[in-house]
Coordinates of all heavy atoms in Angstrom, one line a residue:
S1 N -36.0 -18.7 -52.3 CA -36.2 -19.5 -51.1 C -35.8 -18.8 -49.8 O -35.0 -17.8 -49.9 CB -35.5 -20.8 -51.2 OG -34.1 -20.6 -51.1
W2 N -36.2 -19.3 -48.7 CA -35.7 -18.7 -47.4 C -34.2 -18.9 -47.3 O -33.6 -18.0 -46.7 CB -36.5 -19.3 -46.2 CG -37.9 -18.8 -46.1 CD1 -39.0 -19.5 -46.4 CD2 -38.2 -17.5 -45.7 NE1 -40.1 -18.6 -46.2 CE2 -39.7 -17.4 -45.8 CE3 -37.5 -16.3 -45.3 CZ2 -40.4 -16.2 -45.4 CZ3 -38.3 -15.2 -45.0 CH2 -39.6 -15.2 -45.1
Y3 N -33.7 -20.0 -47.8 CA -32.3 -20.2 -47.8 C -31.5 -19.1 -48.5 O -30.6 -18.5 -48.0 CB -31.9 -21.6 -48.4 CG -30.5 -21.8 -48.6 CD1 -29.7 -22.1 -47.5 CD2 -29.9 -21.7 -49.8 CE1 -28.3 -22.3 -47.6 CE2 -28.5 -21.9 -50.0 CZ -27.7 -22.2 -48.9 OH -26.4 -22.4 -49.1
D4 N -32.0 -18.8 -49.8 CA -31.4 -17.7 -50.6 C -31.5 -16.4 -49.8 O -30.5 -15.6 -49.9 CB -32.1 -17.6 -51.9 CG -31.9 -18.8 -52.8 OD1 -30.8 -19.4 -52.7 OD2 -32.8 -19.2 -53.5
F5 N -32.6 -16.1 -49.2 CA -32.8 -14.9 -48.4 C -31.8 -14.8 -47.3 O -31.1 -13.8 -47.1 CB -34.2 -14.8 -47.9 CG -34.5 -13.6 -47.1 CD1 -34.8 -12.4 -47.8 CD2 -34.6 -13.5 -45.8 CE1 -35.1 -11.2 -47.2 CE2 -34.8 -12.4 -45.1 CZ -35.1 -11.2 -45.8
A6 N -31.6 -15.9 -46.5 CA -30.7 -16.0 -45.4 C -29.2 -15.8 -45.9 O -28.5 -15.0 -45.3 CB -30.8 -17.3 -44.7
I7 N -28.9 -16.4 -47.0 CA -27.5 -16.2 -47.5 C -27.3 -14.8 -47.9 O -26.2 -14.2 -47.6 CB -27.3 -17.1 -48.8 CG1 -27.4 -18.6 -48.4 CG2 -26.1 -16.8 -49.6 CD1 -26.2 -19.0 -47.5
E8 N -28.3 -14.1 -48.5 CA -28.1 -12.7 -48.9 C -28.0 -11.8 -47.7 O -27.2 -10.9 -47.7 CB -29.3 -12.3 -49.8 CG -29.1 -11.0 -50.5 CD -28.0 -11.1 -51.6 OE1 -27.6 -12.2 -52.0 OE2 -27.5 -10.0 -52.0
V9 N -28.7 -12.1 -46.6 CA -28.7 -11.3 -45.4 C -27.3 -11.4 -44.8 O -26.6 -10.4 -44.4 CB -29.7 -11.7 -44.4 CG1 -29.5 -11.1 -43.0 CG2 -31.1 -11.3 -44.9
I10 N -26.8 -12.6 -44.7 CA -25.4 -12.9 -44.2 C -24.4 -12.1 -45.0 O -23.4 -11.5 -44.5 CB -25.1 -14.4 -44.1 CG1 -26.1 -15.1 -43.1 CG2 -23.7 -14.6 -43.7 CD1 -26.0 -14.5 -41.7
S11 N -24.5 -12.2 -46.3 CA -23.6 -11.6 -47.2 C -23.6 -10.1 -47.1 O -22.5 -9.4 -46.9 CB -23.9 -12.0 -48.7 OG -23.1 -11.3 -49.6
L12 N -24.8 -9.5 -47.1 CA -24.9 -8.0 -47.0 C -24.4 -7.5 -45.6 O -23.9 -6.4 -45.5 CB -26.3 -7.6 -47.2 CG -26.8 -7.7 -48.7 CD1 -28.3 -7.5 -48.8 CD2 -26.0 -6.8 -49.6
G13 N -24.6 -8.3 -44.6 CA -24.2 -7.9 -43.2 C -22.7 -8.2 -43.0 O -22.2 -8.0 -41.9
K14 N -22.1 -8.8 -44.0 CA -20.6 -9.1 -43.9 C -20.4 -10.0 -42.7 O -19.4 -9.8 -41.9 CB -19.8 -7.8 -43.9 CG -19.9 -7.1 -45.2 CD -19.1 -5.8 -45.1 CE -19.0 -5.0 -46.4 NZ -20.2 -4.7 -47.1
Q15 N -21.2 -11.0 -42.5 CA -21.1 -11.9 -41.4 C -20.5 -13.2 -41.9 O -20.6 -13.6 -43.1 CB -22.4 -12.2 -40.7 CG -23.1 -10.9 -40.2 CD -22.2 -10.3 -39.1 OE1 -21.9 -11.0 -38.1 NE2 -21.9 -9.1 -39.2
N16 N -19.9 -14.0 -41.0 CA -19.3 -15.3 -41.3 C -20.2 -16.3 -40.6 O -20.0 -16.5 -39.4 CB -17.9 -15.4 -40.9 CG -17.3 -16.7 -41.3 OD1 -17.9 -17.5 -42.1 ND2 -16.1 -17.0 -40.8
C17 N -21.1 -16.9 -41.3 CA -22.1 -17.8 -40.7 C -22.4 -18.9 -41.6 O -22.5 -18.7 -42.8 CB -23.4 -17.0 -40.4 SG -24.6 -18.0 -39.5
N18 N -22.5 -20.1 -41.1 CA -22.8 -21.3 -41.9 C -24.3 -21.5 -42.0 O -24.9 -21.8 -40.9 CB -22.1 -22.5 -41.4 CG -22.2 -23.7 -42.3 OD1 -22.5 -23.6 -43.5 ND2 -22.1 -24.9 -41.7
I19 N -24.9 -21.4 -43.1 CA -26.4 -21.6 -43.3 C -26.6 -22.9 -43.9 O -26.0 -23.2 -45.0 CB -27.0 -20.5 -44.2 CG1 -26.7 -19.1 -43.8 CG2 -28.5 -20.7 -44.4 CD1 -27.3 -18.7 -42.5
I20 N -27.4 -23.8 -43.3 CA -27.6 -25.1 -43.8 C -29.0 -25.2 -44.3 O -30.0 -25.0 -43.6 CB -27.4 -26.1 -42.6 CG1 -26.0 -26.0 -42.1 CG2 -27.7 -27.5 -43.1 CD1 -25.8 -26.8 -40.8
P21 N -29.2 -25.5 -45.6 CA -30.5 -25.6 -46.2 C -31.2 -26.8 -45.7 O -30.6 -27.9 -45.6 CB -30.3 -25.6 -47.7 CG -28.9 -26.2 -47.8 CD -28.1 -25.7 -46.6
I22 N -32.5 -26.7 -45.5 CA -33.3 -27.9 -45.1 C -34.6 -27.8 -45.9 O -35.0 -26.8 -46.4 CB -33.6 -28.0 -43.6 CG1 -34.5 -26.8 -43.2 CG2 -32.4 -28.1 -42.8 CD1 -35.1 -26.9 -41.8
S23 N -35.2 -29.0 -46.1 CA -36.5 -29.0 -46.8 C -37.6 -28.7 -45.8 O -37.5 -28.7 -44.6 CB -36.7 -30.4 -47.4 OG -36.9 -31.4 -46.3
T24 N -38.8 -28.4 -46.4 CA -40.0 -28.1 -45.6 C -40.3 -29.3 -44.7 O -40.7 -29.2 -43.6 CB -41.2 -27.8 -46.5 OG1 -40.8 -26.7 -47.3 CG2 -42.4 -27.5 -45.7
K25 N -40.1 -30.5 -45.2 CA -40.4 -31.7 -44.4 C -39.5 -31.8 -43.2 O -39.9 -32.4 -42.2 CB -40.2 -33.0 -45.3 CG -41.2 -33.2 -46.3 CD -41.0 -34.4 -47.2 CE -42.0 -34.6 -48.2 NZ -41.8 -35.7 -49.1
Q26 N -38.3 -31.3 -43.3 CA -37.4 -31.3 -42.1 C -37.7 -30.2 -41.1 O -37.1 -30.2 -40.0 CB -35.9 -31.1 -42.6 CG -35.4 -32.2 -43.5 CD -34.1 -31.9 -44.1 OE1 -34.0 -31.0 -44.9 NE2 -33.0 -32.5 -43.6
Y27 N -38.6 -29.4 -41.4 CA -39.0 -28.3 -40.4 C -40.6 -28.3 -40.3 O -41.3 -27.5 -40.9 CB -38.6 -26.9 -40.9 CG -38.7 -25.8 -39.9 CD1 -37.8 -25.7 -38.8 CD2 -39.7 -24.9 -40.0 CE1 -38.0 -24.7 -37.9 CE2 -39.9 -23.9 -39.1 CZ -39.0 -23.8 -38.0 OH -39.2 -22.8 -37.1
P28 N -41.0 -29.3 -39.5 CA -42.5 -29.4 -39.4 C -43.1 -28.3 -38.6 O -42.6 -27.8 -37.7 CB -42.7 -30.7 -38.6 CG -41.4 -30.9 -37.9 CD -40.3 -30.3 -38.7
T29 N -44.3 -27.8 -39.1 CA -45.0 -26.8 -38.4 C -46.5 -27.2 -38.4 O -46.9 -28.0 -39.2 CB -44.9 -25.4 -39.2 OG1 -45.5 -25.6 -40.5 CG2 -43.5 -25.0 -39.3
P30 N -47.3 -26.6 -37.5 CA -48.7 -27.0 -37.5 C -49.4 -26.6 -38.8 O -50.4 -27.3 -39.2 CB -49.3 -26.2 -36.3 CG -48.1 -25.8 -35.5 CD -46.9 -25.7 -36.4
A31 N -49.0 -25.5 -39.4 CA -49.7 -25.1 -40.7 C -49.1 -25.9 -41.8 O -48.0 -26.2 -41.9 CB -49.4 -23.6 -40.9
V32 N -50.1 -26.3 -42.7 CA -49.7 -27.0 -43.9 C -49.2 -26.0 -44.9 O -49.8 -25.0 -45.2 CB -50.9 -27.8 -44.5 CG1 -50.5 -28.5 -45.8 CG2 -51.4 -28.8 -43.5
R33 N -48.0 -26.2 -45.4 CA -47.4 -25.3 -46.4 C -47.3 -25.9 -47.8 O -47.1 -27.1 -47.9 CB -45.9 -25.0 -46.0 CG -45.8 -24.5 -44.6 CD -46.2 -23.1 -44.4 NE -45.9 -22.6 -43.1 CZ -46.6 -21.7 -42.5 NH1 -47.5 -21.0 -43.2 NH2 -46.3 -21.3 -41.3
P34 N -47.6 -25.1 -48.8 CA -47.5 -25.6 -50.1 C -46.0 -25.9 -50.5 O -45.1 -25.3 -49.9 CB -48.0 -24.5 -51.0 CG -47.9 -23.3 -50.2 CD -48.0 -23.7 -48.8
Y35 N -45.8 -26.9 -51.4 CA -44.5 -27.3 -51.7 C -43.8 -26.2 -52.4 O -42.6 -25.9 -52.2 CB -44.5 -28.5 -52.7 CG -43.2 -28.9 -53.2 CD1 -42.2 -29.5 -52.3 CD2 -42.8 -28.7 -54.5 CE1 -41.0 -29.8 -52.8 CE2 -41.6 -29.0 -55.0 CZ -40.6 -29.6 -54.1 OH -39.4 -29.9 -54.6
Y36 N -44.5 -25.5 -53.3 CA -43.9 -24.4 -54.1 C -44.9 -23.2 -54.2 O -46.0 -23.4 -54.6 CB -43.5 -24.8 -55.5 CG -42.9 -23.7 -56.3 CD1 -41.6 -23.3 -56.2 CD2 -43.7 -23.1 -57.3 CE1 -41.1 -22.3 -57.0 CE2 -43.2 -22.1 -58.1 CZ -41.9 -21.7 -57.9 OH -41.3 -20.7 -58.7
S37 N -44.5 -22.1 -53.7 CA -45.3 -20.9 -53.9 C -44.5 -19.7 -54.1 O -43.4 -19.5 -53.5 CB -46.2 -20.7 -52.6 OG -45.4 -20.4 -51.5
V38 N -45.0 -18.8 -54.9 CA -44.2 -17.5 -55.2 C -45.2 -16.4 -55.1 O -46.4 -16.6 -55.2 CB -43.6 -17.5 -56.6 CG1 -42.5 -18.6 -56.7 CG2 -44.7 -17.7 -57.7
L39 N -44.7 -15.2 -54.8 CA -45.5 -14.0 -54.7 C -45.6 -13.4 -56.1 O -44.6 -13.0 -56.7 CB -45.0 -13.0 -53.7 CG -45.7 -11.7 -53.6 CD1 -47.1 -12.0 -53.1 CD2 -45.0 -10.8 -52.6
D40 N -46.8 -13.4 -56.7 CA -46.9 -12.8 -58.0 C -47.3 -11.3 -57.9 O -48.3 -11.0 -57.3 CB -48.0 -13.5 -58.8 CG -48.2 -13.0 -60.2 OD1 -47.5 -12.1 -60.6 OD2 -49.1 -13.5 -60.9
K41 N -46.4 -10.4 -58.4 CA -46.6 -9.0 -58.2 C -47.3 -8.3 -59.4 O -47.5 -7.1 -59.4 CB -45.3 -8.3 -58.0 CG -44.5 -8.9 -56.8 CD -43.1 -8.3 -56.7 CE -42.3 -9.0 -57.8 NZ -40.9 -8.9 -57.8
Q42 N -47.7 -9.1 -60.4 CA -48.2 -8.5 -61.6 C -49.5 -7.7 -61.4 O -49.6 -6.6 -62.0 CB -48.5 -9.6 -62.7 CG -47.3 -10.2 -63.3 CD -46.4 -9.2 -63.9 OE1 -45.4 -8.7 -63.4 NE2 -46.8 -8.7 -65.1
K43 N -50.4 -8.2 -60.6 CA -51.6 -7.4 -60.4 C -51.4 -6.0 -59.8 O -52.0 -5.0 -60.2 CB -52.6 -8.2 -59.5 CG -53.9 -8.6 -60.1 CD -54.8 -9.3 -59.1 CE -55.8 -10.1 -59.9 NZ -56.7 -10.8 -59.0
I44 N -50.6 -6.0 -58.7 CA -50.4 -4.7 -58.1 C -49.6 -3.7 -59.0 O -49.9 -2.5 -59.0 CB -49.7 -4.9 -56.7 CG1 -49.8 -3.6 -55.9 CG2 -48.3 -5.3 -56.8 CD1 -49.5 -3.8 -54.4
K45 N -48.7 -4.3 -59.7 CA -47.9 -3.5 -60.7 C -48.9 -2.9 -61.8 O -48.8 -1.7 -62.1 CB -46.8 -4.3 -61.3 CG -45.7 -4.6 -60.3 CD -44.8 -5.7 -60.8 CE -43.9 -5.2 -61.9 NZ -42.9 -6.3 -62.3
L46 N -49.7 -3.7 -62.3 CA -50.7 -3.3 -63.3 C -51.7 -2.3 -62.9 O -51.9 -1.3 -63.4 CB -51.4 -4.6 -63.9 CG -52.4 -4.3 -65.0 CD1 -51.7 -3.8 -66.3 CD2 -53.2 -5.6 -65.3
H47 N -52.3 -2.6 -61.7 CA -53.4 -1.8 -61.3 C -53.0 -0.4 -60.6 O -53.7 0.5 -60.7 CB -54.3 -2.5 -60.3 CG -55.1 -3.6 -60.9 ND1 -56.2 -3.3 -61.7 CD2 -55.0 -4.9 -60.9 CE1 -56.7 -4.5 -62.1 NE2 -56.0 -5.5 -61.7
F48 N -51.8 -0.5 -60.0 CA -51.3 0.8 -59.4 C -50.2 1.4 -60.1 O -49.7 2.5 -59.7 CB -50.9 0.5 -57.9 CG -52.1 0.1 -57.1 CD1 -52.3 -1.2 -56.8 CD2 -52.9 1.1 -56.6 CE1 -53.4 -1.6 -56.0 CE2 -54.0 0.7 -55.8 CZ -54.3 -0.6 -55.5
G49 N -49.7 0.8 -61.2 CA -48.7 1.4 -62.0 C -47.4 1.6 -61.2 O -46.7 2.7 -61.4
I50 N -47.0 0.7 -60.3 CA -45.8 0.9 -59.6 C -44.7 0.0 -60.0 O -45.0 -1.1 -60.6 CB -46.1 0.8 -58.0 CG1 -46.6 -0.6 -57.7 CG2 -47.0 1.8 -57.5 CD1 -46.7 -0.9 -56.3
N51 N -43.5 0.4 -59.8 CA -42.4 -0.5 -60.1 C -41.9 -1.1 -58.8 O -41.6 -0.4 -57.8 CB -41.2 0.4 -60.7 CG -40.0 -0.5 -61.1 OD1 -40.2 -1.7 -61.3 ND2 -38.9 0.1 -61.1
I52 N -41.8 -2.4 -58.7 CA -41.4 -3.1 -57.5 C -40.0 -3.6 -57.8 O -39.8 -4.4 -58.7 CB -42.3 -4.2 -57.1 CG1 -43.7 -3.6 -56.9 CG2 -41.8 -5.0 -55.9 CD1 -44.8 -4.7 -56.6
P53 N -39.0 -3.1 -57.0 CA -37.6 -3.6 -57.3 C -37.5 -5.1 -57.0 O -38.2 -5.7 -56.2 CB -36.7 -2.8 -56.3 CG -37.6 -1.8 -55.6 CD -39.0 -2.2 -56.0
H54 N -36.4 -5.7 -57.5 CA -36.1 -7.1 -57.2 C -35.8 -7.2 -55.7 O -35.3 -6.3 -55.1 CB -34.9 -7.5 -58.0 CG -34.5 -8.9 -57.9 ND1 -33.8 -9.5 -56.9 CD2 -34.9 -10.0 -58.7 CE1 -33.7 -10.8 -57.1 NE2 -34.4 -11.1 -58.2
W55 N -36.2 -8.3 -55.1 CA -36.1 -8.5 -53.7 C -34.7 -8.3 -53.2 O -34.5 -7.7 -52.1 CB -36.6 -9.8 -53.2 CG -35.8 -11.0 -53.6 CD1 -36.0 -11.8 -54.7 CD2 -34.7 -11.6 -52.9 NE1 -35.0 -12.8 -54.8 CE2 -34.2 -12.7 -53.6 CE3 -34.0 -11.3 -51.7 CZ2 -33.2 -13.5 -53.2 CZ3 -33.0 -12.1 -51.3 CH2 -32.6 -13.2 -52.1
K56 N -33.7 -8.6 -54.0 CA -32.3 -8.4 -53.5 C -32.0 -6.9 -53.4 O -31.3 -6.5 -52.4 CB -31.3 -9.1 -54.5 CG -31.2 -10.6 -54.3 CD -30.1 -11.2 -55.1 CE -30.0 -12.7 -54.9 NZ -28.9 -13.3 -55.7
K57 N -32.4 -6.1 -54.3 CA -32.2 -4.7 -54.2 C -32.9 -4.1 -53.0 O -32.3 -3.3 -52.3 CB -32.7 -4.0 -55.5 CG -32.4 -2.6 -55.6 CD -30.9 -2.3 -55.6 CE -30.6 -0.8 -55.7 NZ -29.2 -0.5 -55.5
S58 N -34.1 -4.5 -52.8 CA -34.9 -4.0 -51.6 C -34.2 -4.4 -50.3 O -34.1 -3.6 -49.4 CB -36.3 -4.5 -51.6 OG -37.0 -4.0 -52.8
L59 N -33.7 -5.7 -50.3 CA -33.0 -6.1 -49.1 C -31.8 -5.3 -48.8 O -31.4 -5.0 -47.7 CB -32.7 -7.6 -49.2 CG -32.0 -8.2 -48.0 CD1 -32.7 -8.1 -46.7 CD2 -31.6 -9.7 -48.3
E60 N -31.0 -5.1 -49.9 CA -29.8 -4.3 -49.8 C -30.1 -2.9 -49.2 O -29.4 -2.4 -48.3 CB -29.2 -4.2 -51.2 CG -27.9 -3.4 -51.2 CD -27.3 -3.3 -52.6 OE1 -27.6 -4.1 -53.5 OE2 -26.6 -2.3 -52.8
M61 N -31.1 -2.2 -49.7 CA -31.5 -0.9 -49.2 C -31.9 -1.0 -47.7 O -31.5 -0.2 -46.9 CB -32.6 -0.3 -50.0 CG -32.2 0.0 -51.4 SD -33.5 0.9 -52.4 CE -35.0 0.2 -51.9
C62 N -32.6 -2.0 -47.3 CA -33.1 -2.2 -45.9 C -31.9 -2.5 -45.0 O -31.7 -1.9 -44.0 CB -34.0 -3.4 -45.9 SG -34.6 -3.8 -44.2
M63 N -31.0 -3.4 -45.5 CA -29.8 -3.7 -44.7 C -28.9 -2.5 -44.5 O -28.3 -2.3 -43.5 CB -29.0 -4.9 -45.3 CG -29.7 -6.2 -45.2 SD -29.8 -6.9 -43.6 CE -28.1 -7.2 -43.3
R64 N -28.8 -1.7 -45.6 CA -27.9 -0.5 -45.5 C -28.5 0.4 -44.4 O -27.7 1.0 -43.6 CB -27.9 0.2 -46.9 CG -26.8 1.3 -47.0 CD -26.7 1.9 -48.3 NE -26.8 1.0 -49.4 CZ -27.7 1.2 -50.4 NH1 -28.6 2.2 -50.4 NH2 -27.8 0.3 -51.4
N65 N -29.8 0.6 -44.4 CA -30.4 1.5 -43.4 C -30.2 0.9 -42.0 O -29.9 1.7 -41.1 CB -31.9 1.6 -43.7 CG -32.2 2.5 -44.9 OD1 -31.4 3.3 -45.3 ND2 -33.3 2.3 -45.5
I66 N -30.3 -0.3 -41.8 CA -30.2 -1.0 -40.5 C -28.7 -0.8 -40.1 O -28.4 -0.4 -38.9 CB -30.6 -2.4 -40.5 CG1 -32.1 -2.5 -40.7 CG2 -30.1 -3.2 -39.3 CD1 -32.6 -4.0 -40.9
L67 N -27.8 -1.2 -41.0 CA -26.4 -1.1 -40.6 C -25.9 0.3 -40.3 O -25.1 0.6 -39.5 CB -25.5 -1.8 -41.7 CG -25.7 -3.3 -41.8 CD1 -25.0 -3.8 -43.0 CD2 -25.3 -4.0 -40.6
D68 N -26.4 1.3 -41.1 CA -26.1 2.7 -40.8 C -26.5 3.1 -39.4 O -25.8 3.9 -38.8 CB -26.8 3.6 -41.9 CG -26.1 3.5 -43.2 OD1 -25.0 3.0 -43.3 OD2 -26.7 4.0 -44.2
D69 N -27.6 2.6 -39.0 CA -28.1 3.0 -37.6 C -27.2 2.4 -36.5 O -27.2 3.0 -35.4 CB -29.5 2.4 -37.4 CG -30.6 3.2 -38.2 OD1 -30.3 4.3 -38.7 OD2 -31.7 2.7 -38.3
Y70 N -26.5 1.4 -36.8 CA -25.6 0.8 -35.8 C -24.2 1.2 -35.9 O -23.3 0.8 -35.1 CB -25.7 -0.8 -35.9 CG -26.9 -1.3 -35.3 CD1 -28.0 -1.7 -36.2 CD2 -27.1 -1.5 -34.0 CE1 -29.2 -2.2 -35.6 CE2 -28.3 -1.9 -33.4 CZ -29.3 -2.3 -34.3 OH -30.5 -2.8 -33.8
Q71 N -23.9 2.1 -36.8 CA -22.5 2.6 -37.0 C -22.3 4.0 -36.5 O -23.1 4.7 -36.3 CB -22.0 2.5 -38.4 CG -21.9 1.0 -38.8 CD -21.6 0.9 -40.3 OE1 -21.4 1.8 -41.0 NE2 -21.4 -0.4 -40.8

């Protein structure tokens, strides 16, 4: 979920921030959003023979690069 993503960003960035989860209904947008949707990586993995790391590992690498640039 976007909540889980935000929590992980805050954690990796070693920030102290209060993240409050809300439902899709609590955040109205002009676009209609599905209640539940996931990104299925099976096709790209199968057809191109690539290994896609778990999103947390990819986020960790990205955050490390960003934080290294600011230090």
Side-chain angles (χ1 to χ4, degrees):
S1 70
W2 283 109
Y3 172 76
D4 295 322
F5 184 78
I7 292 294
E8 195 67 20
V9 168
I10 295 303
S11 173
L12 291 170
K14 297 179 175 51
Q15 299 298 307
N16 184 12
C17 181
N18 187 23
I19 305 292
I20 301 169
I22 63 170
S23 69
T24 301
K25 288 180 182 177
Q26 293 172 291
Y27 190 76
T29 62
V32 178
R33 306 284 184 206
Y35 175 71
Y36 177 76
S37 64
V38 294
L39 179 60
D40 184 0
K41 304 171 285 194
Q42 286 304 100
K43 240 184 200 179
I44 195 166
K45 290 165 73 174
L46 177 68
H47 290 289
F48 293 100
I50 61 174
N51 180 29
I52 301 173
H54 189 273
W55 69 267
K56 283 187 178 183
K57 185 65 179 168
S58 296
L59 178 61
E60 182 183 333
M61 292 183 327
C62 179
M63 291 290 292
R64 191 177 321 123
N65 288 338
I66 290 170
L67 294 174
D68 286 348
D69 288 347
Y70 285 100
Q71 293 177 358

